[in-house]
Amino acid sequence: EDQVTQSPEALRLQEGESSSLNCSYTVSGLRGLFWYRQDPGKGPEFLFTLYSAGEEKEKERLKATLTKKESFLHITAPKPEDSATYLCAVQASGGYNKLIFGAGTRLAVHP
Amino acid sequence: DTAVSQTPKYLVTQMGNDKSIKCEQNLGHDTMYWYKQDSKKFLKIMFSYNNKELIINETVPNRFSPKSPDKAHLNLHINSLELGDSAVYFCASTGGTEAFFGQGTRLTVV
């Protein structure tokens, strides 16, 4: 069964303290791995898509990497406005573009 | 310009009532979805339509019935609402890769 596990469940950082979020996945043929950001009371906002092991994508203070079993979202020198829930999702080959989500990591960045 | 919009944003209703949530996307995508986010914030797919045709129907009670009048619209009708239906429902659309989500409809059944 296709599955996504994210860790940690919650993470508290001081402003400027870099860290990484983990997304482990099991999927029958990975078509793509997606990272989203969700703010309270809003819908998930797309960040990155990764398609193959070794691929990396960057946006401002965020960098996403992918291996055959997991993905990391690295946050460099975070700011309070980076506080949100970060969701990881996978799309399996032949899955009609269905996204299978992990439970998310709640990130709080304090000044 | 909102890409994926849903109405209403909040919906409070009594058990046993029937309610609908509407969704529209202006991205020109062929595929639209309904996802449910429970109290633990876990997002799970319910339905998917591609060009008005139902292609994904996960294990969802048949009280839930999606309808797609055209590829830009996907509505969700729920009959005989139960307390356990309380959740946030998200509409999304995709052109084949990343999905774009609406703001969500918080449904509270009392």
Side-chain angles (χ1 to χ4, degrees), chain B residues 43-96:
Chain B
L43 265 168
K44 191 171 180 184
I45 192 166
M46 300 173 69
F47 302 102
S48 177
Y49 270 74
N50 183 268
N51 250 328
K52 302 193 296 176
E53 181 184 346
L54 181 66
I55 56 170
I56 296 175
N57 185 350
E58 296 289 297
T59 309
V60 176
N62 57 17
R63 299 181 294 103
F64 290 78
S65 53
K67 280 192 174 62
S68 181
D70 55 61
K71 74 174 192 177
H73 295 83
L74 180 62
N75 304 322
L76 183 66
H77 188 76
I78 315 169
N79 289 326
S80 304
L81 278 154
E82 301 177 357
L83 293 176
D85 297 331
S86 296
V88 182
Y89 293 84
F90 286 99
C91 176
S93 73
T94 182

Side-chain angles (χ1 to χ4, degrees), chain A residues 31 34 36 38 41-44 46 49 51 87 91 95-99 101-103, chain B residues 9 31 33 35 37 41-43 45 55-56 58 90 94 96-99 101-103:
Chain A
R31 188 170 177 212
F34 302 81
Y36 285 83
Q38 186 174 23
K42 296 194 175 180
F46 171 73
T49 310
Y51 294 104
L87 299 168
Q91 206 175 61
Y96 294 109
N97 299 332
K98 175 173 76 173
L99 288 174
F101 280 89
Chain B
K9 185 168 182 180
T31 304
Y33 309 91
Y35 280 83
Q37 190 168 45
K41 308 297 183 187
F42 190 61
L43 265 168
I45 192 166
I55 56 170
I56 296 175
E58 296 289 297
F90 286 99
T94 182
T97 53
E98 66 269 19
F101 286 78
Q103 64 180 359

Side-chain angles (χ1 to χ4, degrees), chain A residues 4-21:
Chain A
V4 177
T5 304
Q6 290 188 246
S7 61
E9 188 175 318
L11 181 63
R12 179 189 169 115
L13 298 174
Q14 289 298 123
E15 185 171 2
E17 180 187 0
S18 300
S19 188
S20 296
L21 313 183

Side-chain angles (χ1 to χ4, degrees), chain A residues 39-61:
Chain A
D39 292 297
K42 296 194 175 180
E45 176 189 345
F46 171 73
L47 293 173
F48 303 108
T49 310
L50 301 166
Y51 294 104
S52 56
E55 191 175 357
E56 298 183 352
K57 294 241 175 111
E58 283 190 69
K59 180 180 178 180
E60 295 179 355
R61 294 177 293 282

